[in-house]
Amino acid sequence: MSAPQQSSGTRQSFDVEHDATEAMRALFHPRRIAIIGATPRRGFANNIHQGILRQGFDGEIFGVTPKHEEVLGAPCYPRIDEIPGGVDKAIVVVPSHVVPDVLEQCPAAGVKAVNIITSGFGEQSDDEAARRQNYIQEFAERTGIRVVGPNCLGLVSTPGKMIAKSGPYNTVLPGPVGLVFQSGLLTYGMILPPEERGIGYSYIATTGNEADLEAADFIKYYIEDDATQIIACFIEQFRNPEKLRYVANLALEAGKPLIVLKIGRSEGGQRAARAHTGSLVGSDEIADATMRQLGIIRVRTLDEMTETIAAFHTKRLPKGDGVGTIFISGGAGGLVSDLSQDIGINLPELSPETVEKLKPVIPEYGTIGNPLDTTGQAATQPEITEGSLVSMAEDPNVDVVIYGQAYPTMIDYDTPVGQVLKTMPDRYPDKTFLIMSLVSGKLHDGFRWGEPPGDPGNTWDGTPFLQGADDSLQAVKSLINYAEFRRHWLDGYRPMAVRSELATEAESRIREANGEPLTERAAKHLLKMYDIPVTEEALATTADEAVAAAEKIGYPVVLKIESPDILHKTDSGGLALNLASADEVSRAFDEITTAARLYAPNARINGVLVQQMAKPGREIILGMSQDPDFGPAVAVGLGGIFVEVLDDVQLGVPPVDERAAGEMLDRLRGRKILDGTGSRGAGPADRQELIRIMQRFSQLCVDVADVVSEIDINPMLLYGEGEGACVVDCLIVPKSEYGA
């Protein structure tokens, strides 16, 4: 059974049944492990071997080396296929040129999965290294033995009591977080500091070059595994976007947040990803739009990833976006207020009833508001903390309550303040509670995250403790956004791009152009099929026909040269605006046809397009581009200086529904132009009509994704609220393979 194809424009697909479940069990829960390249000397092989022993692995370990009979208590054999009874997992740490010979021994040894630590494959630029990586892929396809790597640092399985990963770990704390990192070394930062706060892990995978198994395979395993509740990934490139869509929907179904740090936003980041893994990095903007569409939580840094992981240890997701904050410092409240505005966190005003409740609670030199300043007196008077938390939790405008402090010390639940905080989630089960330090740093010894000292294992049911104002608030925003998206998903939202009944005719009209850009008239006819409003127009081949068309349309009109060989009408002199009479139309017809012939003597001229002169409005651009991996993307922006100078354009991935279209408009820097607050005397634009058009345009993009490389609507004029819109010009460029 194959996965459902979401869009005809997506170039990659995959077979759901050809998954890696058996290999994953061998990787994370092996009974017999072979370390190929085992050695008593310090290095990757020895470090991994020591880690397996330290975590208490209760299976069998064998070494494969002709140099030793025993290493760290493990019997050694010259070849893996000489191990009596075979093994289910092989860890390969030998020079890259030896790897092919080692792999060919694995089928006879009964190996189910191989983890190749060795470098010297696709991450290098020479042809021989590339051939070695291609061999690994061919081996996996031929034998069915799945491969992790090469060029990685290994795996961790706390349920399997196994640290088969190189690194400075004595043990790894068990917990609900599953990590997938294409960069092995960066996992150090995601394991060691968070552990101090009680953040524990189910599984950790470093995937390296991903010659066979990729990040999405591990994500799928984590989703289906009960030990994992949160999934966090460092991604350089999504190998198969269709598989990404599939596992993201599985994650939503399971209610397991998928947190991704993807590099490649900058040109330098793209170069680094290519150099590290040999991957081809696609458009980051389209990847970003795809992640938004799938409810994937994107973070910018490892610190933000840590805080986001911490935030998702909450007992419950927020039911709305109202955030109430409590601090013992007015300065802290001011800082959080500023950052919240930058990040887009809603700090609602407290209701009048809440204000009245707080008056007898807050000292007279405190400040009643949101943020709430309880003053330093609250540190010694738990009744102030309790009254503040209760009042905030009972406010109808507040969904998330943050108790803040200015130092990186966890709350001790044995203290009076801690005892108050501990009761809040159960007293107010419809609210989300978080504890936040404004700074990050080493924690005070003896305190544990969200639970009494000495009991770090129950942090999944605790109150999350966050560190660092900016990273913590970004995490809170992600928590709120995910909760909203999941509600939308549970209500039936499924981002499946399905071709409409218009698709066949639309494709036919594209093919009729024989690979050439469609004329403006043909492009607008296609838009009109999708109920996208366009200017009224007619083609004239003589001056008399032009006058007759103008009389029918109504003055004033515009004349445009129509030629498949002249795309830029202004440059050719093939454009005349605001013509108000028959004489002006007749004269303009002769002028622009003459100018066009002088500009391009060999151009094919179909005639002159007589077009309604659209009334002034706010200029909007709407377009489609194609990504080789992710398929079509929809772009929207404000015209003029906003697109030319400010590059104020937002991308979305079809299908763009009403919610997604609205969010795209809200992300525009010039969005105030649309709501009428950005220009004096202008009222709000017809936002709902623009959203409707974006939805219809998105369907067009899905229908013609296989035959069109680019669509450019520029400009579309958007009028006042309730007054609609009108497309003035449109360019549609077929894919090159659909030429004559």
mmCIF file of all heavy atoms in Angstrom, residues 386-422:
data_model
loop_
_atom_site.group_PDB
_atom_site.id
_atom_site.type_symbol
_atom_site.label_atom_id
_atom_site.label_comp_id
_atom_site.label_asym_id
_atom_site.label_seq_id
_atom_site.Cartn_x
_atom_site.Cartn_y
_atom_site.Cartn_z
ATOM 1 N N GLU A 386 -0.035 33.048 46.418
ATOM 2 C CA GLU A 386 -1.258 32.285 46.210
ATOM 3 C C GLU A 386 -2.384 33.175 45.698
ATOM 4 O O GLU A 386 -3.087 32.817 44.746
ATOM 5 C CB GLU A 386 -1.687 31.596 47.502
ATOM 6 C CG GLU A 386 -2.948 30.751 47.320
ATOM 7 C CD GLU A 386 -3.228 29.870 48.510
ATOM 8 O OE1 GLU A 386 -2.668 30.125 49.585
ATOM 9 O OE2 GLU A 386 -4.007 28.911 48.356
ATOM 10 N N GLY A 387 -2.566 34.342 46.321
ATOM 11 C CA GLY A 387 -3.616 35.244 45.867
ATOM 12 C C GLY A 387 -3.402 35.691 44.435
ATOM 13 O O GLY A 387 -4.356 35.824 43.659
ATOM 14 N N SER A 388 -2.136 35.914 44.058
ATOM 15 C CA SER A 388 -1.829 36.339 42.686
ATOM 16 C C SER A 388 -2.109 35.225 41.689
ATOM 17 O O SER A 388 -2.724 35.443 40.635
ATOM 18 C CB SER A 388 -0.358 36.757 42.592
ATOM 19 O OG SER A 388 -0.077 37.827 43.456
ATOM 20 N N LEU A 389 -1.654 34.007 42.023
ATOM 21 C CA LEU A 389 -1.864 32.881 41.117
ATOM 22 C C LEU A 389 -3.344 32.558 40.963
ATOM 23 O O LEU A 389 -3.834 32.319 39.847
ATOM 24 C CB LEU A 389 -1.108 31.659 41.638
ATOM 25 C CG LEU A 389 0.412 31.673 41.444
ATOM 26 C CD1 LEU A 389 1.073 30.612 42.313
ATOM 27 C CD2 LEU A 389 0.773 31.450 39.980
ATOM 28 N N VAL A 390 -4.065 32.566 42.054
ATOM 29 C CA VAL A 390 -5.492 32.264 42.007
ATOM 30 C C VAL A 390 -6.238 33.308 41.182
ATOM 31 O O VAL A 390 -7.063 32.989 40.315
ATOM 32 C CB VAL A 390 -6.066 32.168 43.433
ATOM 33 C CG1 VAL A 390 -7.593 32.176 43.401
ATOM 34 C CG2 VAL A 390 -5.558 30.914 44.127
ATOM 35 N N SER A 391 -5.945 34.577 41.431
ATOM 36 C CA SER A 391 -6.630 35.647 40.693
ATOM 37 C C SER A 391 -6.323 35.563 39.204
ATOM 38 O O SER A 391 -7.221 35.713 38.360
ATOM 39 C CB SER A 391 -6.206 37.011 41.249
ATOM 40 O OG SER A 391 -6.562 37.146 42.610
ATOM 41 N N MET A 392 -5.052 35.323 38.863
ATOM 42 C CA MET A 392 -4.663 35.232 37.460
ATOM 43 C C MET A 392 -5.323 34.016 36.806
ATOM 44 O O MET A 392 -5.826 34.093 35.678
ATOM 45 C CB MET A 392 -3.141 35.149 37.346
ATOM 46 C CG MET A 392 -2.600 35.370 35.955
ATOM 47 S SD MET A 392 -2.734 37.089 35.399
ATOM 48 C CE MET A 392 -1.328 37.835 36.236
ATOM 49 N N ALA A 393 -5.327 32.882 37.517
ATOM 50 C CA ALA A 393 -5.893 31.658 36.949
ATOM 51 C C ALA A 393 -7.397 31.776 36.746
ATOM 52 O O ALA A 393 -7.954 31.138 35.842
ATOM 53 C CB ALA A 393 -5.580 30.474 37.853
ATOM 54 N N GLU A 394 -8.065 32.564 37.564
ATOM 55 C CA GLU A 394 -9.515 32.709 37.450
ATOM 56 C C GLU A 394 -9.939 33.805 36.477
ATOM 57 O O GLU A 394 -11.133 33.978 36.219
ATOM 58 C CB GLU A 394 -10.106 32.977 38.839
ATOM 59 C CG GLU A 394 -9.988 31.774 39.773
ATOM 60 C CD GLU A 394 -10.547 32.034 41.160
ATOM 61 O OE1 GLU A 394 -10.877 33.214 41.454
ATOM 62 O OE2 GLU A 394 -10.647 31.078 41.954
ATOM 63 N N ASP A 395 -8.947 34.536 35.920
ATOM 64 C CA ASP A 395 -9.287 35.579 34.959
ATOM 65 C C ASP A 395 -9.731 34.931 33.649
ATOM 66 O O ASP A 395 -9.013 34.087 33.092
ATOM 67 C CB ASP A 395 -8.082 36.496 34.715
ATOM 68 C CG ASP A 395 -8.458 37.735 33.929
ATOM 69 O OD1 ASP A 395 -8.842 37.602 32.753
ATOM 70 O OD2 ASP A 395 -8.380 38.845 34.494
ATOM 71 N N PRO A 396 -10.868 35.298 33.107
ATOM 72 C CA PRO A 396 -11.366 34.662 31.871
ATOM 73 C C PRO A 396 -10.517 34.963 30.645
ATOM 74 O O PRO A 396 -10.628 34.260 29.631
ATOM 75 C CB PRO A 396 -12.774 35.247 31.726
ATOM 76 C CG PRO A 396 -12.752 36.535 32.479
ATOM 77 C CD PRO A 396 -11.822 36.309 33.636
ATOM 78 N N ASN A 397 -9.673 36.009 30.715
ATOM 79 C CA ASN A 397 -8.836 36.367 29.570
ATOM 80 C C ASN A 397 -7.501 35.622 29.555
ATOM 81 O O ASN A 397 -6.744 35.747 28.598
ATOM 82 C CB ASN A 397 -8.557 37.870 29.570
ATOM 83 C CG ASN A 397 -9.820 38.695 29.493
ATOM 84 O OD1 ASN A 397 -10.764 38.326 28.795
ATOM 85 N ND2 ASN A 397 -9.864 39.807 30.220
ATOM 86 N N VAL A 398 -7.203 34.890 30.623
ATOM 87 C CA VAL A 398 -5.887 34.257 30.774
ATOM 88 C C VAL A 398 -6.004 32.754 30.569
ATOM 89 O O VAL A 398 -6.841 32.098 31.187
ATOM 90 C CB VAL A 398 -5.290 34.565 32.164
ATOM 91 C CG1 VAL A 398 -4.017 33.747 32.394
ATOM 92 C CG2 VAL A 398 -4.991 36.054 32.289
ATOM 93 N N ASP A 399 -5.156 32.210 29.711
ATOM 94 C CA ASP A 399 -5.106 30.770 29.449
ATOM 95 C C ASP A 399 -3.818 30.135 29.955
ATOM 96 O O ASP A 399 -3.791 28.957 30.296
ATOM 97 C CB ASP A 399 -5.234 30.504 27.946
ATOM 98 C CG ASP A 399 -6.477 31.126 27.359
ATOM 99 O OD1 ASP A 399 -7.573 30.623 27.639
ATOM 100 O OD2 ASP A 399 -6.350 32.146 26.642
ATOM 101 N N VAL A 400 -2.750 30.924 29.961
ATOM 102 C CA VAL A 400 -1.436 30.459 30.414
ATOM 103 C C VAL A 400 -0.973 31.377 31.532
ATOM 104 O O VAL A 400 -0.988 32.601 31.374
ATOM 105 C CB VAL A 400 -0.399 30.479 29.266
ATOM 106 C CG1 VAL A 400 0.968 30.014 29.759
ATOM 107 C CG2 VAL A 400 -0.868 29.630 28.098
ATOM 108 N N VAL A 401 -0.549 30.792 32.652
ATOM 109 C CA VAL A 401 -0.051 31.570 33.787
ATOM 110 C C VAL A 401 1.435 31.290 33.946
ATOM 111 O O VAL A 401 1.844 30.132 34.099
ATOM 112 C CB VAL A 401 -0.792 31.222 35.087
ATOM 113 C CG1 VAL A 401 -0.234 32.040 36.249
ATOM 114 C CG2 VAL A 401 -2.288 31.464 34.936
ATOM 115 N N ILE A 402 2.242 32.355 33.888
ATOM 116 C CA ILE A 402 3.692 32.233 34.058
ATOM 117 C C ILE A 402 4.087 32.849 35.395
ATOM 118 O O ILE A 402 3.817 34.031 35.645
ATOM 119 C CB ILE A 402 4.457 32.930 32.921
ATOM 120 C CG1 ILE A 402 4.152 32.256 31.583
ATOM 121 C CG2 ILE A 402 5.954 32.910 33.190
ATOM 122 C CD1 ILE A 402 4.800 32.928 30.394
ATOM 123 N N TYR A 403 4.724 32.045 36.236
ATOM 124 C CA TYR A 403 5.302 32.559 37.472
ATOM 125 C C TYR A 403 6.781 32.778 37.213
ATOM 126 O O TYR A 403 7.510 31.832 36.890
ATOM 127 C CB TYR A 403 5.102 31.579 38.628
ATOM 128 C CG TYR A 403 5.716 32.062 39.920
ATOM 129 C CD1 TYR A 403 5.029 32.952 40.745
ATOM 130 C CD2 TYR A 403 6.982 31.647 40.303
ATOM 131 C CE1 TYR A 403 5.595 33.415 41.924
ATOM 132 C CE2 TYR A 403 7.556 32.104 41.478
ATOM 133 C CZ TYR A 403 6.857 32.989 42.285
ATOM 134 O OH TYR A 403 7.429 33.450 43.450
ATOM 135 N N GLY A 404 7.241 34.032 37.296
ATOM 136 C CA GLY A 404 8.592 34.360 36.895
ATOM 137 C C GLY A 404 9.514 34.692 38.042
ATOM 138 O O GLY A 404 9.085 35.148 39.103
ATOM 139 N N GLN A 405 10.801 34.463 37.786
ATOM 140 C CA GLN A 405 11.840 34.846 38.736
ATOM 141 C C GLN A 405 13.053 35.301 37.944
ATOM 142 O O GLN A 405 13.167 35.030 36.756
ATOM 143 C CB GLN A 405 12.188 33.682 39.654
ATOM 144 C CG GLN A 405 12.614 32.412 38.930
ATOM 145 C CD GLN A 405 12.707 31.218 39.855
ATOM 146 O OE1 GLN A 405 11.957 31.105 40.819
ATOM 147 N NE2 GLN A 405 13.651 30.334 39.588
ATOM 148 N N ALA A 406 13.977 35.970 38.611
ATOM 149 C CA ALA A 406 15.098 36.593 37.913
ATOM 150 C C ALA A 406 16.384 35.787 38.015
ATOM 151 O O ALA A 406 17.441 36.281 37.651
ATOM 152 C CB ALA A 406 15.331 38.004 38.468
ATOM 153 N N TYR A 407 16.306 34.548 38.496
ATOM 154 C CA TYR A 407 17.525 33.775 38.705
ATOM 155 C C TYR A 407 17.263 32.320 38.312
ATOM 156 O O TYR A 407 16.137 31.826 38.399
ATOM 157 C CB TYR A 407 17.982 33.850 40.162
ATOM 158 C CG TYR A 407 16.837 33.790 41.146
ATOM 159 C CD1 TYR A 407 16.339 32.577 41.601
ATOM 160 C CD2 TYR A 407 16.232 34.964 41.591
ATOM 161 C CE1 TYR A 407 15.276 32.525 42.486
ATOM 162 C CE2 TYR A 407 15.162 34.913 42.476
ATOM 163 C CZ TYR A 407 14.693 33.693 42.920
ATOM 164 O OH TYR A 407 13.623 33.660 43.791
ATOM 165 N N PRO A 408 18.311 31.594 37.884
ATOM 166 C CA PRO A 408 18.117 30.225 37.362
ATOM 167 C C PRO A 408 18.087 29.170 38.462
ATOM 168 O O PRO A 408 18.882 28.235 38.472
ATOM 169 C CB PRO A 408 19.317 30.048 36.438
ATOM 170 C CG PRO A 408 20.394 30.847 37.101
ATOM 171 C CD PRO A 408 19.699 32.044 37.693
ATOM 172 N N THR A 409 17.178 29.314 39.392
ATOM 173 C CA THR A 409 17.015 28.325 40.448
ATOM 174 C C THR A 409 15.626 27.725 40.349
ATOM 175 O O THR A 409 14.635 28.449 40.298
ATOM 176 C CB THR A 409 17.199 28.961 41.842
ATOM 177 O OG1 THR A 409 18.501 29.528 41.921
ATOM 178 C CG2 THR A 409 17.028 27.923 42.938
ATOM 179 N N MET A 410 15.545 26.417 40.336
ATOM 180 C CA MET A 410 14.246 25.765 40.274
ATOM 181 C C MET A 410 13.486 25.985 41.576
ATOM 182 O O MET A 410 14.067 26.204 42.631
ATOM 183 C CB MET A 410 14.428 24.270 40.039
ATOM 184 C CG MET A 410 15.025 23.936 38.700
ATOM 185 S SD MET A 410 15.215 22.163 38.511
ATOM 186 C CE MET A 410 16.041 22.106 36.936
ATOM 187 N N ILE A 411 12.199 25.892 41.470
ATOM 188 C CA ILE A 411 11.351 26.049 42.648
ATOM 189 C C ILE A 411 11.426 24.785 43.508
ATOM 190 O O ILE A 411 11.221 23.668 43.016
ATOM 191 C CB ILE A 411 9.897 26.305 42.230
ATOM 192 C CG1 ILE A 411 9.816 27.588 41.384
ATOM 193 C CG2 ILE A 411 8.990 26.408 43.447
ATOM 194 C CD1 ILE A 411 10.225 28.840 42.113
ATOM 195 N N ASP A 412 11.714 24.961 44.783
ATOM 196 C CA ASP A 412 11.695 23.851 45.727
ATOM 197 C C ASP A 412 10.262 23.713 46.240
ATOM 198 O O ASP A 412 9.745 24.599 46.926
ATOM 199 C CB ASP A 412 12.662 24.142 46.876
ATOM 200 C CG ASP A 412 12.759 22.981 47.855
ATOM 201 O OD1 ASP A 412 11.931 22.051 47.754
ATOM 202 O OD2 ASP A 412 13.654 23.007 48.718
ATOM 203 N N TYR A 413 9.623 22.610 45.914
ATOM 204 C CA TYR A 413 8.223 22.440 46.292
ATOM 205 C C TYR A 413 8.023 22.239 47.800
ATOM 206 O O TYR A 413 6.890 22.183 48.267
ATOM 207 C CB TYR A 413 7.620 21.262 45.529
ATOM 208 C CG TYR A 413 7.183 21.603 44.116
ATOM 209 C CD1 TYR A 413 6.949 20.608 43.185
ATOM 210 C CD2 TYR A 413 6.996 22.925 43.722
ATOM 211 C CE1 TYR A 413 6.537 20.902 41.892
ATOM 212 C CE2 TYR A 413 6.586 23.238 42.439
ATOM 213 C CZ TYR A 413 6.355 22.227 41.531
ATOM 214 O OH TYR A 413 5.942 22.529 40.262
ATOM 215 N N ASP A 414 9.122 22.106 48.542
ATOM 216 C CA ASP A 414 8.988 22.005 49.994
ATOM 217 C C ASP A 414 8.858 23.368 50.657
ATOM 218 O O ASP A 414 8.505 23.454 51.836
ATOM 219 C CB ASP A 414 10.185 21.258 50.592
ATOM 220 C CG ASP A 414 10.100 19.760 50.316
ATOM 221 O OD1 ASP A 414 8.988 19.274 50.053
ATOM 222 O OD2 ASP A 414 11.149 19.097 50.359
ATOM 223 N N THR A 415 9.164 24.451 49.932
ATOM 224 C CA THR A 415 9.017 25.794 50.490
ATOM 225 C C THR A 415 7.557 26.208 50.439
ATOM 226 O O THR A 415 6.756 25.642 49.683
ATOM 227 C CB THR A 415 9.860 26.801 49.695
ATOM 228 O OG1 THR A 415 9.341 26.879 48.365
ATOM 229 C CG2 THR A 415 11.330 26.376 49.651
ATOM 230 N N PRO A 416 7.169 27.231 51.229
ATOM 231 C CA PRO A 416 5.770 27.686 51.175
ATOM 232 C C PRO A 416 5.329 28.101 49.773
ATOM 233 O O PRO A 416 4.227 27.760 49.332
ATOM 234 C CB PRO A 416 5.760 28.859 52.159
ATOM 235 C CG PRO A 416 6.853 28.547 53.136
ATOM 236 C CD PRO A 416 7.920 27.884 52.329
ATOM 237 N N VAL A 417 6.195 28.851 49.050
ATOM 238 C CA VAL A 417 5.842 29.259 47.686
ATOM 239 C C VAL A 417 5.737 28.035 46.780
ATOM 240 O O VAL A 417 4.818 27.917 45.959
ATOM 241 C CB VAL A 417 6.870 30.264 47.139
ATOM 242 C CG1 VAL A 417 6.666 30.484 45.640
ATOM 243 C CG2 VAL A 417 6.783 31.587 47.874
ATOM 244 N N GLY A 418 6.672 27.103 46.945
ATOM 245 C CA GLY A 418 6.638 25.889 46.136
ATOM 246 C C GLY A 418 5.389 25.071 46.357
ATOM 247 O O GLY A 418 4.816 24.506 45.415
ATOM 248 N N GLN A 419 4.947 24.998 47.629
ATOM 249 C CA GLN A 419 3.735 24.236 47.932
ATOM 250 C C GLN A 419 2.511 24.852 47.257
ATOM 251 O O GLN A 419 1.617 24.142 46.800
ATOM 252 C CB GLN A 419 3.551 24.151 49.445
ATOM 253 C CG GLN A 419 4.583 23.250 50.121
ATOM 254 C CD GLN A 419 4.480 23.278 51.629
ATOM 255 O OE1 GLN A 419 3.656 24.012 52.188
ATOM 256 N NE2 GLN A 419 5.309 22.479 52.305
ATOM 257 N N VAL A 420 2.472 26.186 47.189
ATOM 258 C CA VAL A 420 1.367 26.862 46.499
ATOM 259 C C VAL A 420 1.403 26.530 45.009
ATOM 260 O O VAL A 420 0.382 26.155 44.408
ATOM 261 C CB VAL A 420 1.439 28.379 46.719
ATOM 262 C CG1 VAL A 420 0.437 29.098 45.812
ATOM 263 C CG2 VAL A 420 1.178 28.731 48.168
ATOM 264 N N LEU A 421 2.585 26.654 44.411
ATOM 265 C CA LEU A 421 2.713 26.405 42.974
ATOM 266 C C LEU A 421 2.349 24.971 42.613
ATOM 267 O O LEU A 421 1.717 24.722 41.579
ATOM 268 C CB LEU A 421 4.145 26.706 42.520
ATOM 269 C CG LEU A 421 4.495 28.185 42.373
ATOM 270 C CD1 LEU A 421 5.999 28.373 42.306
ATOM 271 C CD2 LEU A 421 3.846 28.750 41.120
ATOM 272 N N LYS A 422 2.717 24.037 43.482
ATOM 273 C CA LYS A 422 2.484 22.632 43.175
ATOM 274 C C LYS A 422 1.005 22.308 43.048
ATOM 275 O O LYS A 422 0.615 21.424 42.278
ATOM 276 C CB LYS A 422 3.137 21.767 44.249
ATOM 277 C CG LYS A 422 3.081 20.275 43.942
ATOM 278 C CD LYS A 422 3.843 19.472 44.970
ATOM 279 C CE LYS A 422 3.825 17.994 44.612
ATOM 280 N NZ LYS A 422 4.590 17.182 45.582
#
